[in-house]
Amino acid sequence: MAEYFSRDWLALREPADHAARPESLLGPLNDALAECATPLQIVDLGSGAGSNLRYLAPRLVGPQHWTLMDHDADLLAMIAEPDGAVTIARQVTDFSAGPPPIPHDTSLVTASALLDLVSADWLDRLVTMLTQWPVPVLLALSYDGRIEWSHPHPADEHVRTAVNCHQRTDKGFGPALGPDAADYCAHAFADKGCRVMIETSDWQLGADQAVLAAALIGGWAEAAAEMEPQARPMYQEWASSRRRDIADGQLHLSVGHCDMLVLGKH
Ligand SMILES: C[S@@+](CC[C@H](N)C(=O)[O-])C[C@H]1O[C@@H](n2cnc3c(N)ncnc32)[C@H](O)[C@@H]1O
C-alpha cells in the first residue's frame, strides 16, 4: 500500500526535524563535496514538500542543482523556488518497484524521513547502486524505535512495542525496516567498504511542541490499535492521559532518530 503524507503533517514536523539534525555531519560532507564540479548535482529521494532542501541547501557550500523526487506530485508542486545559487527540478517518480536510477554525475544523494519506510530488499538495491561510484549519501531523520517520556505511564512500553510493530508493516516497498533501517543501512554500506558516520537526531518535544506531540500521541494510539484491535480501549485511555499531560505543559518527550553520512569508496 503506497504511503501518502499530508502537507499539514509535514509542515508540523519540519521545525522539530530541523532542530534535531546534527551539525557535526556537515563539515565532513562539505569536505567530500569540495572536489565536485559545480553546481553540485543533488538528488533528494522522497522530497515531500521540500523540508530536506530547506534545511540542507543553505548549509552546503557553493551553487547547487537539486532534483527533488517523490510520487506525490501535489507535495512537489508546493516547493518554492529557492533564492540565489540553488536551482531545483521536480520529478514525479514512484519508488515502489525499486530505487530510481541515479545519474553518475550526481554529487550527493540524500533523503530525509524515508529510510524507515523501505524494505531490506529495496535498501540492498539502493546500496548496490550507490556503491558503483563514490557518491556521498546523507540519510537524515530515520526513526530508530526509541520513545522516551519524562514522566512514565504504565502503558508506555506497550504502546512503543505496538508502534514499532506497525512501523515494520508494508509502506509500499515490501515489509518496512522501520526502527531497524538505519542499523541495517549502516552495515550494508560498511560491508561494501564505505565509511559510515551516524549521529542521533532525536526530536525533543516540550511545551513549545505541544501540537506535534498531541498529533504523535493520536497517531501512535491508532497504529497500536491496528496491531492489537482488542486493546483499542487501553490505547485510547493511554492517549487521553498523555494528551492531558501535554496540555499541562510539564511533559517532555524524546523520539529517537538518527542521521547517517556515507562516504563512498575512493
Ligand atoms: C515522511 S515523508 C518525508 C518527506 C520529506 N523528505 C521530509 O523530510 O519532510 C516520506 C516521503 O516519501 C514519499 N514516498 C513514500 N512512498 C513513496 C514511493 N513509493 N515513491 C516515491 N515517494 C514515496 C512520500 O510521498 C513522502 O513525501
Side-chain angles (χ1 to χ4, degrees):
M1 179 74 72
E3 285 279 301
Y4 285 85
F5 293 79
S6 76
R7 57 191 291 179
D8 289 348
W9 167 247
L10 295 180
L12 188 58
R13 62 174 290 169
E14 183 163 330
D17 280 343
H18 289 195
R21 291 182 66 162
E23 299 276 320
S24 54
L25 297 179
L26 295 171
L29 175 57
N30 274 310
D31 288 348
L33 295 176
E35 309 273 297
C36 296
T38 55
L40 299 173
Q41 300 294 322
I42 299 170
V43 171
D44 184 33
L45 301 172
S47 308
S51 176
N52 196 24
L53 167 77
R54 283 185 289 278
Y55 175 83
L56 199 54
R59 292 170 172 83
L60 296 182
V61 177
Q64 303 154 39
H65 178 72
W66 284 65
T67 302
L68 305 164
M69 296 187 188
D70 204 286
H71 67 162
D72 191 327
D74 292 339
L75 289 179
L76 289 179
M78 290 175 53
I79 302 172
E81 294 285 334
D83 295 330
V86 180
T87 56
I88 62 171
R90 302 172 184 84
Q91 200 170 303
V92 180
T93 313
D94 184 354
F95 309 151
S96 50
I102 308 286
H104 280 217
D105 66 349
T106 301
S107 329
L108 170 67
V109 176
T110 184
S112 64
L114 179 76
L115 204 57
D116 40 58
L117 302 179
V118 308
S119 63
D121 176 60
W122 194 97
L123 195 52
D124 287 342
R125 292 163 70 184
L126 182 74
V127 169
T128 299
M129 179 171 61
L130 296 182
T131 47
Q132 285 167 12
W133 80 104
V135 63
V137 182
L138 180 68
L139 300 166
L141 294 160
S142 306
Y143 170 66
D144 71 3
R146 291 175 297 122
I147 300 174
E148 290 161 9
W149 303 86
S150 56
H151 303 77
H153 181 286
D156 287 342
E157 194 51 25
H158 214 108
V159 172
R160 193 182 72 88
T161 302
V163 165
N164 287 345
C165 276
H166 192 276
Q167 290 279 321
R168 294 185 174 93
T169 59
D170 191 339
K171 306 291 190 293
F173 302 86
L177 283 162
D180 307 320
D183 203 37
Y184 186 95
C185 186
H187 281 99
F189 275 115
D191 286 349
K192 299 275 189 188
C194 299
R195 183 173 164 222
V196 179
M197 284 166 265
I198 299 182
E199 296 284 348
T200 55
S201 48
D202 298 351
W203 283 352
Q204 302 293 351
L205 308 182
D208 55 337
Q209 290 282 9
V211 179
L212 175 57
L216 272 176
I217 288 163
W220 285 335
E222 184 54 36
E226 277 178 33
M227 292 291 97
E228 217 181 349
Q230 73 284 5
R232 180 175 286 275
M234 187 264 285
Y235 290 125
Q236 285 172 338
E237 186 285 323
W238 171 87
S240 301
S241 166
R242 279 321 201 176
R243 280 201 205 92
R244 280 195 299 276
D245 294 339
I246 293 287
D248 287 347
Q250 299 302 320
L251 193 68
H252 183 273
L253 166 62
S254 168
V255 185
H257 292 86
C258 66
D259 280 25
M260 182 185 315
L261 174 62
V262 181
L263 298 179
K265 297 176 282 186
H266 288 272

